Amino acid sequence: METVYITRRETFNAAHKLYRDDWSEEKNWEVFGRCSNKHWHGHNFEVFVTVKGKPSEDTGFVINLKDLSKIIKQLVVDPLDHMNLNLDVPFMKGILASTENLVIEIWKLIEEPIRVAGGELVKIKLVETENNFVEYYGGKEPY
Ligand code: NI
């Protein structure tokens, strides 16, 4: 059987700001601009989780998308949706709430459960705005 890559999309919205307490307000503004606004701002995030595998001879599936969706909903959407990434999310505590840092933390949460469900996580794409998104391959370099 050939390897196939399958992707599930889920969405959540969350507030954050990009701000370092150990920098002055001026420095934060200089580096992070409006993203450092102390009264927060929000995004409608989209997360695309890509799993690789060979289609099962029984089901034709790489992974059951219902299982994949459930993992993402329980471990990513539930703890993040309608939350403040800086204040409300235990796994983001002490971490600058950039999309780059968030995607790395999401990977750590779902990699093992996806493996248990029979898939291999290979990529997460996290879309912050229609113009800005990040892609993460678990620290590997795909290109
Ligand atoms: Ni932002």
Side-chain angles (χ1 to χ4, degrees), residues 8-143:
R8 174 72 192 178
R9 171 183 172 270
E10 300 288 348
T11 61
F12 59 93
N13 53 68
H16 75 161
K17 66 178 174 185
L18 300 180
Y19 193 92
R20 294 188 63 110
D21 289 327
D22 56 341
W23 288 356
S24 66
E25 223 160 283
E26 293 70 31
K27 176 90 185 272
N28 274 290
W29 180 260
E30 188 189 313
V31 175
F32 298 125
R34 304 178 75 83
C35 295
S36 70
N37 176 13
K38 66 179 168 193
H39 291 136
W40 320 101
H41 64 276
H43 296 287
N44 295 315
F45 287 94
E46 294 172 279
V47 61
F48 294 81
V49 174
T50 301
V51 171
K52 145 183 156 174
K54 298 183 192 306
S56 151
E57 284 186 14
D58 298 328
T59 63
F61 292 165
V62 167
I63 187 171
N64 192 319
L65 281 172
K66 264 201 289 191
D67 297 336
L68 182 57
S69 172
K70 205 168 139 191
I71 289 167
I72 304 167
K73 280 192 179 134
Q74 282 179 351
L75 298 173
V76 179
V77 175
D78 284 354
L80 295 177
D81 192 33
H82 288 71
M83 295 296 170
N84 180 313
L85 300 178
N86 300 71
L87 301 179
D88 298 326
V89 180
F91 64 81
M92 289 299 289
K93 231 181 176 88
I95 298 172
L96 205 144
S98 68
T99 312
E100 292 89 327
N101 286 339
L102 181 57
V103 79
I104 292 171
E105 297 309 309
I106 290 174
W107 182 285
K108 291 181 199 164
L109 293 170
I110 64 175
E111 181 183 25
E112 179 63 13
I114 287 172
R115 199 189 58 73
V116 170
E120 183 188 344
L121 176 63
V122 292
K123 172 180 173 179
I124 303 175
K125 174 173 156 181
L126 184 60
V127 179
E128 189 183 52
T129 72
E130 60 184 312
N131 295 324
N132 298 335
F133 62 88
V134 299
E135 294 171 305
Y136 184 59
Y137 301 85
K140 295 187 190 131
E141 310 228 356
Y143 308 116

